[in-house]
Amino acid sequence: MITATSTSVYNKLINHIKQANLLGSTGSVLGWDQETLMPPGGLAHRTRQLAQIAKLTHQMSTDPRIGQWLDACEADAALTSDPLSVSAVNLRELRRDYEKATKLPEALVVEMSETTSQAKHEWAEARKVNDYKRFKPWLAKVVELSQRKAECYGWDTTSGGASGGGEPWDALADSFEAGMTAASVAAVFTPLRERLVPLLEDILGSKTGPSNSFNELKLPVEQQKKFVKDISAAVGFDYDRGRLDESTHPFCSGSHCNDVRMTTRFHEDNVNDALGSTLHESGHGIYEQGLLEEHIGTPMGAAVGLSIHESQSRMWENQVGRSQAFWKWCYPKLAEFFGDATSGLTEEQIYGGANIVNPGLIRVEADEATYNLHIMIRFEIERLLMKGDLGVDDLPEAWNKMYNDYLKVEVPDDTRGCMQ
């Protein structure tokens, strides 16, 4: 039986966590604004704003009272005996969050916030002029801070540990997907890569294939914007509780289920990129909008993990967005938004164009057959950087070699390579 005392303590805990979440979610909106609407001149002040929010949020998240409240609540079986109850889920996840947060020094949290805010800006500017040297010192600092963060968290250093751990990457991955280790990822990626690379060679060696006409069309960006917004609304993204903007790299963020911010990007000669990116982010957005409003600010109102999140984005982008059924439904919309510009293409040509297998340089533009190879390259690069086996000076060369080995493509410049 839940006692009045334990209920009171549990309510204090939840109220405190909700207050901390208010600060964190404010930072999320400021971060979205920095990448979409903020003028360049606002960077210095925005960096200070985000650092202050990170500092205050960390202070609230490591308040010693949280540990005391958790101890008291966990001692009451009525709050924890049903592992699927709201109280048990919240307590379990809050204990995990608290133990991780208390391992991080406040100074490191602030420095990480300041550095990543400035690094994002420098990355975007460096990409414009293909200047890796400009971005390199910022990347080096982010890697160093990430290594320090991993050391604070710690990881399984025993050979063949039960969790399959054994390297710094594991410490950071655990924050995105509980229990995830490099060893467990490699166990999936290695056999998959061994099958994907020869499959790709077979596809490219085939003398037959779908038409690429759809991907060669030049379509006005303003019409593309209306088109992808209409599609994302049709598949379930609620624009009364979210919005779509542009950014250098598509992403989805926001402060809660009723304020979800997506971004995409446009090219006059590649409407499939805009559509695929928008469907991908819509998957994230629909998932976020489906979280429980009554639990905003607590673990019960948050995503369960990155794997589930990414499964939703890639389902809409690939399983739905590249399907024949989707294009049977979507084909008439092309005429609605682009008029005669697409009238010379059949439904079959459009569907085929959406499924062209063509190894390329950019992950978010990748087809379904090559997308996972892009992820594998990033995974291996991250492991090497985190272990110190690869320095930022040698990153472009390592990146370019992997793209040649896995995807058989030559990387012409760093903007389309390690800075993409």
Side-chain angles (χ1 to χ4, degrees):
M1 178 178 178
I2 301 177
T3 66
T5 300
S6 62
T7 298
S8 175
V9 172
Y10 177 77
N11 288 339
K12 288 180 181 179
L13 171 65
I14 294 301
N15 182 64
H16 181 87
I17 294 302
K18 286 183 175 180
Q19 296 303 310
N21 182 268
L22 282 175
L23 275 176
S25 62
T26 301
S28 295
V29 176
L30 288 176
W32 166 86
D33 176 76
Q34 178 178 332
E35 296 198 48
T36 54
L37 300 174
M38 186 191 79
L43 177 63
H45 191 68
R46 180 57 46 85
T47 296
R48 292 191 290 270
Q49 288 176 315
L50 291 171
Q52 180 72 351
I53 288 176
K55 176 181 177 179
L56 295 174
T57 302
H58 183 69
Q59 289 175 351
M60 293 189 72
S61 300
T62 56
D63 189 321
R65 292 178 299 171
I66 295 177
Q68 298 167 6
W69 291 330
L70 284 169
D71 289 341
C73 291
E74 290 166 344
D76 189 336
L79 289 171
T80 59
S81 58
D82 178 2
L84 298 181
S85 68
V86 171
S87 58
V89 169
N90 280 335
L91 291 171
R92 182 171 62 246
E93 295 302 313
L94 290 175
R95 169 62 74 179
R96 169 181 159 80
D97 293 343
Y98 178 69
E99 291 184 352
K100 291 181 77 70
T102 52
K103 291 179 179 179
L104 297 180
E106 181 181 295
L108 177 59
V109 172
V110 171
E111 188 176 6
M112 179 69 85
S113 176
E114 291 174 340
T115 302
T116 54
S117 177
Q118 295 177 72
K120 284 179 183 178
H121 172 79
E122 291 299 318
W123 163 73
E125 293 302 309
R127 284 185 80 252
K128 295 176 183 177
V129 293
N130 187 38
D131 186 0
Y132 179 69
K133 288 183 179 179
R134 172 174 178 170
F135 177 56
K136 187 171 65 174
W138 291 99
L139 177 60
K141 186 64 175 177
V142 170
V143 171
E144 185 229 329
L145 291 172
S146 297
Q147 291 169 333
R148 285 167 53 190
K149 187 176 181 180
E151 290 171 0
C152 292
Y153 284 152
W155 62 87
D156 181 4
T157 58
T158 60
S159 177
S163 66
E167 57 185 88
W169 189 90
D170 304 344
L172 300 188
D174 184 73
S175 296
F176 296 92
E177 190 65 35
M180 183 66 70
T181 66
S184 63
V185 174
V188 175
F189 278 2
T190 301
L192 179 59
R193 184 177 66 251
E194 291 171 351
R195 298 173 67 182
L196 273 178
V197 172
L199 173 63
L200 180 59
E201 292 174 353
D202 289 345
I203 293 173
L204 296 179
S206 174
K207 295 180 180 180
T208 61
S211 169
N212 196 41
S213 301
F214 183 39
N215 301 310
E216 296 171 347
L217 284 178
K218 289 190 175 181
L219 300 171
V221 167
E222 287 306 311
Q223 290 172 249
Q224 288 189 41
K225 292 178 181 180
K226 295 175 183 177
F227 171 63
V228 299
K229 186 173 181 179
D230 180 84
I231 299 299
S232 64
V235 301
F237 187 77
D238 182 358
Y239 279 95
D240 286 335
R241 299 190 296 140
R243 56 182 293 131
L244 177 66
D245 294 274
E246 294 179 64
S247 66
T248 304
H249 185 85
F251 68 93
C252 178
S253 69
S255 56
H256 54 84
C257 60
N258 293 325
D259 184 3
V260 179
R261 312 293 178 93
M262 303 190 302
T263 71
T264 191
R265 63 186 186 189
F266 299 93
H267 309 283
E268 187 181 48
D269 57 352
N270 194 351
V271 68
N272 255 334
D273 177 35
L275 179 60
S277 295
T278 303
L279 281 172
H280 183 101
E281 302 309 331
S282 294
H284 287 303
I286 293 168
Y287 179 67
E288 285 290 321
Q289 289 181 337
L291 296 175
L292 302 173
E293 182 177 4
E294 63 269 28
H295 294 295
I296 288 174
T298 72
M300 275 293 293
V304 68
L306 189 60
S307 293
I308 294 296
H309 228 307
E310 200 63 27
S311 76
Q312 300 308 291
S313 61
R314 295 193 66 188
M315 177 191 73
W316 283 108
E317 178 188 5
N318 291 317
Q319 278 67 48
V320 176
R322 298 185 192 273
S323 70
Q324 194 164 22
F326 174 83
W327 281 106
K328 184 177 182 64
W329 166 79
C330 192
Y331 181 66
K333 288 184 173 290
L334 294 174
E336 178 184 343
F337 286 93
F338 301 111
D340 293 338
T342 58
S343 61
L345 298 177
T346 65
E347 180 185 316
E348 189 64 25
Q349 287 175 314
I350 299 291
Y351 167 60
N355 286 278
I356 288 285
V357 174
N358 183 27
L361 299 164
I362 310 300
R363 174 184 63 84
V364 295
E365 297 174 6
D367 55 78
E368 194 171 1
T370 61
Y371 188 98
N372 287 326
L373 293 170
H374 290 265
I375 302 300
M376 293 173 193
I377 291 170
R378 284 155 178 75
F379 168 62
E380 294 188 21
I381 291 287
E382 286 179 2
R383 292 179 77 179
L384 292 170
L385 287 171
M386 288 299 295
K387 287 190 288 187
D389 293 341
L390 177 67
V392 296
D393 286 337
D394 301 319
L395 173 60
E397 181 182 354
W399 183 285
N400 298 351
K401 184 179 185 304
M402 287 188 188
Y403 263 80
N404 187 270
D405 291 345
Y406 290 9
L407 290 157
K408 310 303 180 188
V409 295
E410 298 289 338
V411 181
D413 54 56
D414 293 331
T415 291
R416 286 172 288 183
C418 62
M419 286 201 301
Q420 64 175 274

